[in-house]
Amino acid sequence: MTKALTTRAGTTSATDLPYMPLCAVFRRFLKRKGLKFTHERAVILDAVLAREGVFDAEELSDEIKAGGRRVSKATVYRTLKHLVEAQIVEEVLIDSRQVHFQQSFGRDPKGHLACLETNQIVEFPTKQLDEMAEKICREYGFDFISHRFVIYGVSPQARKLEQDSTQEH
Amino acid sequence: MTKALTTRAGTTSATDLPYMPLCAVFRRFLKRKGLKFTHERAVILDAVLAREGVFDAEELSDEIKAGGRRVSKATVYRTLKHLVEAQIVEEVLIDSRQVHFQQSFGRDPKGHLACLETNQIVEFPTKQLDEMAEKICREYGFDFISHRFVIYGVSPQARKLEQDSTQEH
DNA sequence: CTTGCTGCAAAAGTTTTGCACACGT
DNA sequence: ACGTGTGCAAAACTTTTGCAGCAAG
């Protein structure tokens, strides 16, 4: 999507190269559902893959616009739904203002450490937690699907900011 | 709030008895903040305490109406904010449609096991998890405030429903 | 009495949807 | 060609806010 690349062996197009596996995953998902891989969906997937960490629909839309490409917000919302269903992206519920997303394909589940002062979000690995979640599910007779673990706190940076402004008094 | 009760020793009013401690907690909180304990706030606290488990602003408002009392939705939202700040109620982020709440005062933190088919929510205790959350915070230099742990799955009931409808084919 | 509170209705913010046209397969 | 997708603008929904009158301390 971003720049032209020489096609090797004439089998893959330039469009595929920056994210070959996920693009393929998405195309396969769409085909299975009788849906189409459109230019807009490619642009959105591209933007998702370019993102690090957590984002919301608005941010994604803005980044697409900033990149000089144009996709309507309605399409961004519609496509994010498909990406979630394709398990390429997952919803992350950090606060109640709006839905947040993050790329999830092939990643281990992560927990989120959110700073209530600065809205900074740090990810941490959740090995032990994953097992615990499945065990709890079993105890209650549930089939496990996924889990979300969010810890709220105050980051060192926020604490420092606060100290600085107190000293100014 | 609900029915008249004989006042013992002339010290507590009938209004206080059904939830003496929490009403007191809330009044103390309000006084500290220079806010007022109004009739509407009493009605809302009453409704919150009558609830078991997780609820949203809409449900609370409906239950108040069903009880023949009338408080505007704006006031329900405004009061829930205060109850959260007073730590009598806490936000629970289960899904992205709207904010959910539950009574939290004096309760141990709980995790939520949510069924994605039926929207049923089961609570489970999180002893080990609480320690883990604080430890993770420390590792990243954060001050711990709270945590949310939600596990998504399919409940036995939902599984059963699905089986039944498959058999009907 | 002073200050905060309530209800109402309007506003704000996010997400969804209907429709006419455009595009992938 | 067919059936899906897109943009746009309007709708839907939850939550917030401004204001004028009301109530608590």
Side-chain angles (χ1 to χ4, degrees), chain A residues 91 93-99 113-116 120 122-125 128-129 132-137 140-157 159, chain B residues 91 93-97 99 113-116 120 122-125 128-129 132-137 140-157 159:
Chain A
E91 288 195 0
L93 301 176
I94 294 287
D95 71 42
S96 39
R97 316 309 295 125
Q98 75 235 89
V99 189
L113 186 49
C115 173
L116 291 176
Q120 177 191 180
V122 179
E123 288 190 335
F124 60 85
Q128 309 165 56
L129 217 72
M132 204 185 287
E134 299 198 33
K135 202 179 113 225
I136 290 164
C137 255
Y140 290 84
F142 277 54
D143 294 332
F144 177 79
I145 294 180
S146 64
H147 69 68
R148 298 294 119 86
F149 190 30
V150 186
I151 304 177
Y152 299 92
V154 179
S155 66
Q157 293 84 341
R159 223 182 297 127
Chain B
E91 287 195 1
L93 300 176
I94 295 288
D95 72 42
S96 39
R97 313 314 293 125
V99 189
L113 186 48
C115 173
L116 290 176
Q120 176 192 182
V122 178
E123 288 190 336
F124 59 85
Q128 311 164 55
L129 218 73
M132 204 185 286
E134 300 198 32
K135 202 180 113 221
I136 290 165
C137 254
Y140 290 84
F142 277 54
D143 294 331
F144 177 79
I145 294 180
S146 64
H147 68 68
R148 296 296 119 85
F149 189 29
V150 186
I151 304 177
Y152 299 92
V154 179
S155 66
Q157 293 84 341
R159 224 183 296 129

Coordinates of all heavy atoms in Angstrom, one line a residue, chain A residues 91 93-99 113-116 120 122-125 128-129 132-137 140-157 159, chain B residues 91 93-97 99 113-116 120 122-125 128-129 132-137 140-157 159:
Chain A
E91 N -10.9 -6.2 20.9 CA -11.4 -5.0 21.7 C -10.7 -5.0 23.0 O -10.4 -6.1 23.6 CB -12.9 -5.2 21.9 CG -13.7 -4.9 20.7 CD -15.2 -4.6 21.1 OE1 -15.5 -4.7 22.3 OE2 -16.0 -4.4 20.2
L93 N -11.1 -3.0 26.6 CA -11.9 -2.1 27.4 C -11.1 -1.4 28.5 O -10.9 -2.0 29.5 CB -13.2 -2.8 27.9 CG -14.0 -3.5 26.9 CD1 -15.2 -4.2 27.5 CD2 -14.6 -2.4 25.9
I94 N -10.6 -0.2 28.2 CA -9.8 0.4 29.1 C -10.6 1.5 29.9 O -10.5 1.6 31.1 CB -8.7 1.2 28.4 CG1 -7.7 0.2 27.7 CG2 -7.9 2.1 29.4 CD1 -6.9 -0.6 28.7
D95 N -11.4 2.2 29.2 CA -12.3 3.2 29.9 C -13.6 3.2 29.2 O -13.8 2.5 28.2 CB -11.7 4.6 30.0 CG -11.6 5.3 28.7 OD1 -12.6 5.2 27.9 OD2 -10.6 5.9 28.4
S96 N -14.5 4.0 29.7 CA -15.9 3.9 29.3 C -16.2 4.9 28.2 O -17.3 4.9 27.7 CB -16.8 4.0 30.4 OG -16.3 5.0 31.3
R97 N -15.3 5.7 27.7 CA -15.6 6.7 26.7 C -15.8 6.0 25.4 O -16.8 6.3 24.7 CB -14.5 7.7 26.6 CG -13.9 8.3 27.8 CD -14.8 8.9 28.8 NE -15.7 10.0 28.5 CZ -17.0 10.0 28.6 NH1 -17.6 8.9 29.0 NH2 -17.7 11.1 28.4
Q98 N -15.0 5.2 25.0 CA -15.2 4.5 23.7 C -14.4 3.2 23.6 O -13.6 2.9 24.5 CB -14.7 5.4 22.5 CG -13.2 5.6 22.3 CD -12.8 7.0 22.4 OE1 -12.5 7.5 23.4 NE2 -12.8 7.6 21.2
V99 N -14.7 2.4 22.6 CA -14.0 1.2 22.4 C -12.6 1.4 22.0 O -12.3 2.2 21.1 CB -14.7 0.3 21.4 CG1 -14.2 -1.1 21.4 CG2 -16.2 0.3 21.7
L113 N -1.7 -2.1 31.9 CA -1.5 -1.3 33.0 C -1.8 0.2 32.6 O -1.1 0.7 31.8 CB 0.0 -1.5 33.5 CG 0.5 -0.9 34.7 CD1 -0.4 -1.2 35.9 CD2 1.9 -1.4 35.0
A114 N -2.9 0.7 33.1 CA -3.3 2.0 32.7 C -3.1 3.1 33.8 O -3.5 2.9 34.9 CB -4.8 2.0 32.3
C115 N -2.5 4.2 33.4 CA -2.3 5.3 34.3 C -3.5 6.2 34.3 O -3.9 6.7 33.2 CB -1.0 6.1 33.9 SG -0.9 7.6 35.0
L116 N -4.1 6.4 35.4 CA -5.3 7.2 35.5 C -5.1 8.7 35.4 O -6.0 9.4 35.2 CB -6.1 6.9 36.8 CG -6.7 5.4 36.9 CD1 -7.3 5.2 38.3 CD2 -7.7 5.3 35.8
Q120 N -1.6 6.9 29.9 CA -0.6 6.0 29.3 C -1.0 4.6 29.5 O -1.6 4.3 30.6 CB 0.7 6.4 30.1 CG 1.9 5.5 29.7 CD 3.0 5.7 30.6 OE1 4.1 5.1 30.5 NE2 2.9 6.6 31.6
V122 N 0.5 0.7 29.4 CA 1.7 -0.2 29.3 C 1.2 -1.7 29.3 O 0.3 -2.0 30.0 CB 2.6 -0.1 30.5 CG1 3.8 -1.0 30.4 CG2 3.1 1.3 30.7
E123 N 1.7 -2.5 28.4 CA 1.3 -3.9 28.3 C 2.2 -4.7 29.1 O 3.4 -4.4 29.3 CB 1.3 -4.4 26.9 CG 0.2 -3.8 26.0 CD 0.2 -4.5 24.7 OE1 1.2 -5.1 24.2 OE2 -0.9 -4.5 24.1
F124 N 1.7 -5.8 29.7 CA 2.6 -6.7 30.4 C 2.1 -8.1 30.0 O 1.0 -8.4 29.7 CB 2.6 -6.5 31.9 CG 1.2 -6.6 32.5 CD1 0.7 -7.8 32.9 CD2 0.4 -5.5 32.7 CE1 -0.5 -8.0 33.5 CE2 -0.8 -5.6 33.3 CZ -1.3 -6.8 33.7
P125 N 3.1 -9.1 30.1 CA 2.7 -10.5 29.7 C 1.9 -11.1 30.8 O 2.0 -10.8 32.0 CB 4.1 -11.1 29.6 CG 5.0 -10.3 30.4 CD 4.5 -8.9 30.5
Q128 N 1.0 -16.6 33.6 CA 0.3 -17.3 34.7 C -1.2 -17.1 34.7 O -2.0 -17.9 35.0 CB 0.9 -16.8 36.1 CG 2.3 -16.8 36.2 CD 2.7 -15.9 37.4 OE1 2.2 -16.2 38.5 NE2 3.5 -14.9 37.2
L129 N -1.5 -15.8 34.3 CA -2.9 -15.4 34.4 C -3.7 -16.2 33.4 O -4.9 -16.5 33.6 CB -2.9 -14.0 33.9 CG -3.9 -13.1 34.6 CD1 -3.4 -12.9 36.1 CD2 -4.1 -11.8 33.9
M132 N -4.7 -19.3 34.8 CA -5.7 -19.1 35.9 C -7.0 -18.8 35.3 O -8.0 -19.4 35.8 CB -5.2 -17.9 36.7 CG -5.7 -17.8 38.1 SD -5.2 -16.3 39.0 CE -3.5 -16.6 39.2
A133 N -7.1 -18.1 34.2 CA -8.4 -17.7 33.6 C -9.1 -19.0 33.1 O -10.3 -19.2 33.4 CB -8.2 -16.8 32.5
E134 N -8.3 -19.9 32.5 CA -8.9 -21.1 32.0 C -9.4 -22.0 33.1 O -10.4 -22.6 33.1 CB -7.9 -21.8 31.1 CG -7.5 -21.0 29.9 CD -6.9 -21.8 28.8 OE1 -7.3 -23.0 28.6 OE2 -6.0 -21.3 28.1
K135 N -8.6 -22.0 34.2 CA -9.0 -22.8 35.4 C -10.3 -22.3 36.0 O -11.2 -23.1 36.3 CB -7.8 -22.8 36.4 CG -7.9 -24.0 37.4 CD -6.7 -23.9 38.4 CE -7.2 -23.7 39.8 NZ -6.5 -22.7 40.6
I136 N -10.4 -21.0 36.1 CA -11.6 -20.4 36.7 C -12.8 -20.8 35.8 O -13.9 -21.1 36.3 CB -11.4 -18.9 36.9 CG1 -10.4 -18.6 38.0 CG2 -12.8 -18.3 37.2 CD1 -9.9 -17.2 38.0
C137 N -12.6 -20.6 34.5 CA -13.7 -21.0 33.6 C -14.1 -22.4 33.9 O -15.3 -22.7 34.0 CB -13.2 -20.9 32.2 SG -13.8 -19.5 31.3
Y140 N -16.3 -23.0 36.8 CA -17.7 -22.6 36.7 C -18.5 -23.3 35.5 O -19.6 -22.9 35.2 CB -17.8 -21.1 36.6 CG -17.4 -20.4 37.9 CD1 -16.1 -20.1 38.2 CD2 -18.4 -20.0 38.8 CE1 -15.7 -19.5 39.4 CE2 -18.0 -19.4 40.0 CZ -16.7 -19.1 40.3 OH -16.4 -18.5 41.5
G141 N -17.8 -24.2 34.9 CA -18.4 -24.9 33.8 C -18.5 -24.1 32.5 O -19.2 -24.5 31.6
F142 N -17.8 -23.0 32.4 CA -17.8 -22.2 31.2 C -16.8 -22.7 30.2 O -15.7 -23.3 30.6 CB -17.4 -20.7 31.5 CG -18.5 -19.9 32.0 CD1 -19.3 -20.3 33.1 CD2 -18.8 -18.7 31.4 CE1 -20.3 -19.5 33.6 CE2 -19.9 -17.9 31.9 CZ -20.6 -18.3 33.0
D143 N -17.0 -22.5 28.9 CA -16.0 -22.7 27.9 C -15.2 -21.4 27.8 O -15.8 -20.3 27.6 CB -16.7 -23.0 26.5 CG -17.4 -24.3 26.5 OD1 -17.0 -25.2 27.3 OD2 -18.3 -24.5 25.8
F144 N -13.9 -21.5 27.9 CA -13.1 -20.3 27.9 C -13.0 -19.7 26.5 O -12.8 -20.5 25.5 CB -11.7 -20.7 28.4 CG -10.7 -19.6 28.3 CD1 -10.7 -18.6 29.3 CD2 -9.8 -19.4 27.2 CE1 -9.9 -17.5 29.2 CE2 -8.9 -18.4 27.2 CZ -9.0 -17.4 28.2
I145 N -13.1 -18.4 26.4 CA -12.9 -17.8 25.1 C -11.7 -16.8 25.2 O -10.7 -17.0 24.5 CB -14.1 -17.0 24.6 CG1 -15.3 -18.0 24.3 CG2 -13.8 -16.2 23.4 CD1 -16.6 -17.4 23.8
S146 N -11.8 -15.9 26.1 CA -10.6 -14.9 26.3 C -10.7 -14.3 27.6 O -11.7 -14.5 28.4 CB -10.7 -13.9 25.2 OG -11.8 -13.1 25.3
H147 N -9.8 -13.4 27.9 CA -9.9 -12.6 29.1 C -9.3 -11.3 29.0 O -8.6 -11.0 28.0 CB -9.1 -13.4 30.3 CG -7.7 -13.4 30.1 ND1 -6.8 -12.3 30.2 CD2 -6.8 -14.5 29.8 CE1 -5.6 -12.7 30.0 NE2 -5.5 -14.0 29.8
R148 N -9.6 -10.4 29.8 CA -9.1 -9.0 29.8 C -8.6 -8.7 31.3 O -9.4 -8.9 32.2 CB -10.2 -8.0 29.5 CG -10.8 -8.1 28.1 CD -9.8 -7.8 27.0 NE -9.6 -9.0 26.2 CZ -10.4 -9.3 25.1 NH1 -11.3 -8.4 24.7 NH2 -10.3 -10.4 24.5
F149 N -7.4 -8.2 31.4 CA -6.9 -7.9 32.7 C -6.4 -6.5 32.6 O -5.5 -6.2 31.9 CB -5.9 -8.9 33.1 CG -5.4 -8.7 34.6 CD1 -6.3 -8.3 35.5 CD2 -4.1 -9.1 34.9 CE1 -5.9 -8.2 36.9 CE2 -3.7 -9.0 36.3 CZ -4.6 -8.5 37.2
V150 N -7.0 -5.5 33.3 CA -6.5 -4.2 33.3 C -6.2 -3.8 34.8 O -7.0 -4.0 35.7 CB -7.6 -3.2 32.8 CG1 -7.1 -1.8 32.7 CG2 -8.1 -3.7 31.4
I151 N -5.1 -3.2 35.0 CA -4.7 -2.7 36.3 C -4.6 -1.2 36.2 O -4.1 -0.6 35.2 CB -3.3 -3.2 36.7 CG1 -3.3 -4.8 36.7 CG2 -2.9 -2.7 38.1 CD1 -1.9 -5.4 37.1
Y152 N -5.3 -0.5 37.1 CA -5.2 1.0 37.1 C -4.3 1.4 38.2 O -4.2 0.9 39.3 CB -6.6 1.5 37.4 CG -7.6 1.1 36.4 CD1 -8.4 -0.1 36.5 CD2 -7.8 1.8 35.2 CE1 -9.3 -0.5 35.6 CE2 -8.7 1.4 34.2 CZ -9.4 0.3 34.4 OH -10.3 -0.1 33.5
G153 N -3.5 2.4 37.9 CA -2.6 3.0 38.8 C -2.1 4.3 38.4 O -2.7 5.0 37.6
V154 N -1.0 4.8 39.0 CA -0.4 6.0 38.7 C 1.0 5.8 38.2 O 1.8 5.1 39.0 CB -0.4 7.0 39.9 CG1 0.2 8.3 39.5 CG2 -1.8 7.2 40.4
S155 N 1.4 6.2 37.1 CA 2.7 6.0 36.5 C 3.7 6.8 37.2 O 3.4 7.9 37.7 CB 2.7 6.2 35.0 OG 2.5 7.6 34.8
P156 N 5.0 6.4 37.1 CA 6.1 7.2 37.7 C 6.1 8.6 37.1 O 6.3 9.6 37.8 CB 7.3 6.4 37.2 CG 6.9 5.0 36.9 CD 5.4 5.1 36.5
Q157 N 5.9 8.7 35.8 CA 5.9 10.0 35.1 C 4.8 10.9 35.7 O 5.1 12.1 35.9 CB 5.6 9.8 33.6 CG 6.7 9.1 32.8 CD 6.5 7.5 32.9 OE1 5.9 7.0 33.8 NE2 7.2 6.8 32.0
R159 N 3.5 10.7 38.6 CA 3.9 11.1 40.0 C 4.9 12.2 40.0 O 4.8 13.2 40.7 CB 4.5 9.9 40.7 CG 4.1 9.6 42.1 CD 4.8 8.4 42.7 NE 4.5 7.2 42.0 CZ 5.4 6.3 41.5 NH1 6.7 6.6 41.6 NH2 5.0 5.2 40.9
Chain B
E91 N -17.1 1.2 38.8 CA -17.4 0.9 37.4 C -16.9 -0.5 37.1 O -15.8 -0.9 37.5 CB -16.7 1.9 36.5 CG -17.3 3.3 36.5 CD -16.8 4.1 35.4 OE1 -16.0 3.6 34.6 OE2 -17.2 5.3 35.3
L93 N -16.2 -2.7 33.6 CA -16.3 -2.6 32.1 C -16.4 -4.0 31.5 O -15.5 -4.7 31.4 CB -15.0 -1.9 31.6 CG -14.8 -0.5 32.1 CD1 -13.5 0.0 31.6 CD2 -16.0 0.4 31.7
I94 N -17.7 -4.3 31.2 CA -17.9 -5.7 30.7 C -18.0 -5.6 29.2 O -17.5 -6.5 28.5 CB -19.3 -6.2 31.3 CG1 -19.2 -6.4 32.8 CG2 -19.7 -7.5 30.6 CD1 -18.3 -7.5 33.2
D95 N -18.8 -4.7 28.7 CA -18.8 -4.6 27.2 C -18.8 -3.1 26.9 O -18.7 -2.3 27.7 CB -20.1 -5.3 26.6 CG -21.3 -4.6 26.9 OD1 -21.4 -3.3 26.9 OD2 -22.3 -5.2 27.3
S96 N -18.9 -2.9 25.6 CA -18.6 -1.5 25.1 C -19.8 -0.7 24.9 O -19.7 0.5 24.6 CB -17.8 -1.6 23.8 OG -18.2 -2.6 23.0
R97 N -21.0 -1.2 25.1 CA -22.2 -0.4 24.9 C -22.4 0.7 25.9 O -22.6 1.8 25.6 CB -23.5 -1.3 24.9 CG -23.5 -2.5 24.1 CD -23.0 -2.5 22.7 NE -23.7 -1.7 21.7 CZ -23.1 -0.8 21.0 NH1 -21.8 -0.4 21.2 NH2 -23.7 -0.2 20.0
V99 N -21.6 1.9 30.4 CA -20.9 1.6 31.6 C -21.7 0.8 32.6 O -22.9 1.0 32.7 CB -20.6 3.0 32.3 CG1 -19.6 2.7 33.5 CG2 -19.9 4.0 31.4
L113 N -16.9 -13.2 35.2 CA -16.9 -14.3 34.2 C -18.2 -14.0 33.4 O -19.3 -14.1 33.9 CB -17.0 -15.6 34.9 CG -16.9 -16.9 34.1 CD1 -15.7 -16.9 33.2 CD2 -16.8 -18.1 35.1
A114 N -18.0 -13.5 32.2 CA -19.1 -13.1 31.4 C -19.4 -14.1 30.2 O -18.5 -14.5 29.5 CB -18.9 -11.7 30.8
C115 N -20.7 -14.5 30.1 CA -21.1 -15.4 29.0 C -21.4 -14.5 27.8 O -22.3 -13.6 27.8 CB -22.3 -16.2 29.4 SG -22.9 -17.2 28.0
L116 N -20.7 -14.8 26.7 CA -20.9 -14.0 25.5 C -22.2 -14.3 24.8 O -22.6 -13.6 23.9 CB -19.7 -14.2 24.5 CG -18.4 -13.6 25.0 CD1 -17.2 -13.9 24.1 CD2 -18.5 -12.1 25.2
Q120 N -25.0 -13.3 30.8 CA -24.9 -13.7 32.2 C -23.6 -13.3 32.8 O -22.6 -13.4 32.1 CB -25.2 -15.2 32.3 CG -25.1 -15.7 33.7 CD -25.1 -17.3 33.7 OE1 -25.0 -17.9 34.7 NE2 -25.1 -17.9 32.5
V122 N -21.1 -13.9 36.1 CA -20.8 -14.6 37.4 C -19.6 -13.9 38.0 O -18.6 -13.6 37.3 CB -20.5 -16.1 37.1 CG1 -20.2 -16.8 38.4 CG2 -21.7 -16.7 36.4
E123 N -19.6 -13.7 39.3 CA -18.5 -13.2 40.0 C -17.6 -14.3 40.6 O -18.1 -15.3 41.0 CB -18.9 -12.2 41.1 CG -19.5 -10.9 40.7 CD -19.6 -10.0 41.8 OE1 -19.8 -10.4 43.0 OE2 -19.7 -8.8 41.5
F124 N -16.3 -14.0 40.7 CA -15.5 -15.0 41.3 C -14.4 -14.2 42.2 O -14.1 -13.1 41.8 CB -14.8 -16.0 40.3 CG -14.0 -15.3 39.3 CD1 -12.7 -15.0 39.6 CD2 -14.5 -14.9 38.1 CE1 -11.9 -14.3 38.7 CE2 -13.7 -14.3 37.1 CZ -12.4 -14.0 37.4
P125 N -14.0 -14.9 43.2 CA -13.0 -14.2 44.1 C -11.6 -14.2 43.5 O -11.3 -15.0 42.6 CB -13.0 -15.1 45.3 CG -13.4 -16.5 44.9 CD -14.3 -16.2 43.7
Q128 N -5.6 -14.4 44.8 CA -4.2 -14.5 44.3 C -3.9 -13.4 43.3 O -2.8 -12.8 43.2 CB -4.0 -15.8 43.5 CG -4.4 -17.0 44.2 CD -4.5 -18.2 43.2 OE1 -3.5 -18.5 42.5 NE2 -5.7 -18.8 43.1
L129 N -5.0 -13.1 42.5 CA -4.9 -12.1 41.5 C -4.6 -10.7 42.1 O -3.8 -9.9 41.5 CB -6.2 -12.0 40.8 CG -6.2 -11.8 39.4 CD1 -5.7 -13.1 38.7 CD2 -7.5 -11.4 38.9
M132 N -1.0 -10.4 42.7 CA -0.3 -10.4 41.4 C -0.4 -9.0 40.8 O 0.6 -8.4 40.3 CB -1.0 -11.4 40.4 CG -0.1 -11.9 39.3 SD -0.9 -12.9 38.2 CE -1.1 -14.4 39.2
A133 N -1.6 -8.4 40.9 CA -1.8 -7.0 40.3 C -0.9 -6.0 41.0 O -0.2 -5.2 40.3 CB -3.2 -6.6 40.5
E134 N -0.8 -6.1 42.3 CA 0.1 -5.2 43.0 C 1.6 -5.4 42.6 O 2.3 -4.4 42.5 CB -0.1 -5.3 44.5 CG -1.6 -4.9 44.9 CD -1.8 -4.6 46.3 OE1 -0.9 -4.0 46.9 OE2 -2.9 -4.9 46.9
K135 N 1.9 -6.6 42.5 CA 3.3 -7.0 42.2 C 3.6 -6.4 40.8 O 4.7 -5.8 40.6 CB 3.5 -8.5 42.2 CG 4.9 -8.9 42.4 CD 5.1 -10.4 42.4 CE 5.8 -10.9 41.2 NZ 5.3 -12.1 40.6
I136 N 2.7 -6.6 39.8 CA 3.0 -6.1 38.5 C 3.1 -4.6 38.5 O 4.0 -4.0 37.9 CB 1.8 -6.5 37.5 CG1 1.9 -8.1 37.3 CG2 1.9 -5.8 36.2 CD1 0.7 -8.6 36.7
C137 N 2.3 -3.9 39.3 CA 2.4 -2.5 39.4 C 3.8 -2.1 39.9 O 4.4 -1.2 39.3 CB 1.4 -2.0 40.4 SG 0.0 -1.2 39.7
Y140 N 6.5 -2.2 37.4 CA 6.6 -1.1 36.4 C 6.7 0.3 37.0 O 6.5 1.3 36.4 CB 5.4 -1.2 35.5 CG 5.4 -2.4 34.5 CD1 5.0 -3.6 34.9 CD2 5.9 -2.2 33.2 CE1 5.0 -4.7 34.1 CE2 6.0 -3.3 32.4 CZ 5.6 -4.6 32.8 OH 5.6 -5.7 32.0
G141 N 6.8 0.3 38.3 CA 7.0 1.6 39.0 C 5.7 2.3 39.2 O 5.7 3.5 39.6
F142 N 4.5 1.7 39.0 CA 3.2 2.3 39.2 C 2.8 2.2 40.6 O 3.1 1.3 41.3 CB 2.2 1.6 38.3 CG 2.1 2.1 36.9 CD1 3.3 2.0 36.1 CD2 0.9 2.5 36.3 CE1 3.2 2.4 34.7 CE2 0.9 2.9 35.0 CZ 2.0 2.9 34.2
D143 N 2.0 3.2 41.1 CA 1.2 3.1 42.3 C 0.0 2.4 42.0 O -0.8 2.8 41.1 CB 0.9 4.5 42.9 CG 2.2 5.2 43.3 OD1 3.1 4.6 43.7 OD2 2.1 6.5 43.3
F144 N -0.3 1.3 42.7 CA -1.5 0.5 42.5 C -2.8 1.2 42.9 O -2.8 1.8 44.0 CB -1.4 -0.8 43.2 CG -2.6 -1.7 43.1 CD1 -2.8 -2.4 41.9 CD2 -3.6 -1.7 44.1 CE1 -3.9 -3.2 41.8 CE2 -4.7 -2.5 43.9 CZ -4.9 -3.3 42.8
I145 N -3.8 1.2 42.1 CA -5.1 1.7 42.5 C -6.1 0.6 42.5 O -6.7 0.3 43.6 CB -5.6 2.9 41.6 CG1 -4.6 4.1 41.8 CG2 -7.0 3.3 42.0 CD1 -5.0 5.3 41.0
S146 N -6.3 0.0 41.4 CA -7.3 -1.1 41.4 C -7.1 -2.0 40.2 O -6.2 -1.7 39.4 CB -8.7 -0.5 41.3 OG -8.9 0.2 40.1
H147 N -7.9 -3.0 40.0 CA -7.8 -3.8 38.8 C -9.1 -4.3 38.4 O -10.1 -4.3 39.2 CB -6.8 -5.0 39.0 CG -7.3 -6.0 40.0 ND1 -8.4 -6.8 39.7 CD2 -6.9 -6.3 41.2 CE1 -8.6 -7.6 40.7 NE2 -7.7 -7.4 41.7
R148 N -9.2 -4.7 37.1 CA -10.4 -5.3 36.6 C -10.0 -6.6 35.9 O -9.0 -6.6 35.1 CB -11.1 -4.4 35.5 CG -11.6 -3.1 36.0 CD -12.7 -3.3 37.0 NE -12.4 -2.7 38.3 CZ -12.5 -1.4 38.6 NH1 -13.0 -0.6 37.7 NH2 -12.1 -0.9 39.7
F149 N -10.7 -7.7 36.2 CA -10.4 -8.9 35.5 C -11.7 -9.5 35.0 O -12.6 -9.8 35.7 CB -9.7 -9.9 36.5 CG -9.1 -11.1 35.8 CD1 -8.7 -11.1 34.5 CD2 -9.1 -12.3 36.6 CE1 -8.1 -12.3 34.0 CE2 -8.5 -13.5 36.0 CZ -8.1 -13.4 34.7
V150 N -11.8 -9.6 33.7 CA -13.0 -10.2 33.1 C -12.6 -11.3 32.2 O -11.7 -11.2 31.4 CB -13.7 -9.1 32.2 CG1 -15.0 -9.7 31.7 CG2 -14.0 -7.8 32.9
I151 N -13.3 -12.4 32.4 CA -13.0 -13.6 31.5 C -14.3 -13.8 30.7 O -15.4 -13.7 31.2 CB -12.8 -14.9 32.4 CG1 -11.7 -14.7 33.3 CG2 -12.6 -16.1 31.5 CD1 -11.4 -15.8 34.3
Y152 N -14.1 -14.0 29.4 CA -15.2 -14.2 28.5 C -15.3 -15.7 28.1 O -14.3 -16.3 27.9 CB -15.1 -13.4 27.2 CG -15.0 -11.9 27.5 CD1 -13.8 -11.2 27.7 CD2 -16.2 -11.2 27.6 CE1 -13.8 -9.9 28.0 CE2 -16.2 -9.8 27.9 CZ -15.0 -9.2 28.1 OH -15.0 -7.9 28.3
G153 N -16.5 -16.2 28.1 CA -16.7 -17.6 27.8 C -18.1 -17.9 27.4 O -18.9 -17.0 27.1
V154 N -18.4 -19.2 27.4 CA -19.8 -19.6 27.2 C -20.3 -20.4 28.4 O -19.6 -21.3 28.8 CB -19.9 -20.5 25.9 CG1 -21.3 -20.9 25.6 CG2 -19.3 -19.7 24.7
S155 N -21.4 -20.0 28.9 CA -21.9 -20.6 30.1 C -22.5 -22.0 29.8 O -22.9 -22.2 28.7 CB -22.9 -19.7 30.8 OG -24.1 -19.6 30.0
P156 N -22.6 -22.8 30.8 CA -23.2 -24.2 30.6 C -24.6 -24.0 30.1 O -25.1 -24.7 29.2 CB -23.2 -24.7 32.0 CG -22.2 -24.0 32.8 CD -22.1 -22.7 32.2
Q157 N -25.4 -23.0 30.6 CA -26.7 -22.8 30.2 C -26.8 -22.5 28.7 O -27.7 -23.0 28.0 CB -27.3 -21.6 31.0 CG -27.5 -21.9 32.4 CD -26.3 -21.6 33.3 OE1 -25.2 -21.6 32.7 NE2 -26.4 -21.4 34.6
R159 N -24.6 -23.2 26.4 CA -24.3 -24.4 25.7 C -25.5 -25.4 25.5 O -25.8 -25.9 24.5 CB -23.1 -25.2 26.4 CG -22.0 -25.6 25.5 CD -21.0 -26.4 26.3 NE -20.3 -25.6 27.3 CZ -20.2 -25.8 28.6 NH1 -20.7 -27.0 29.1 NH2 -19.6 -25.0 29.4

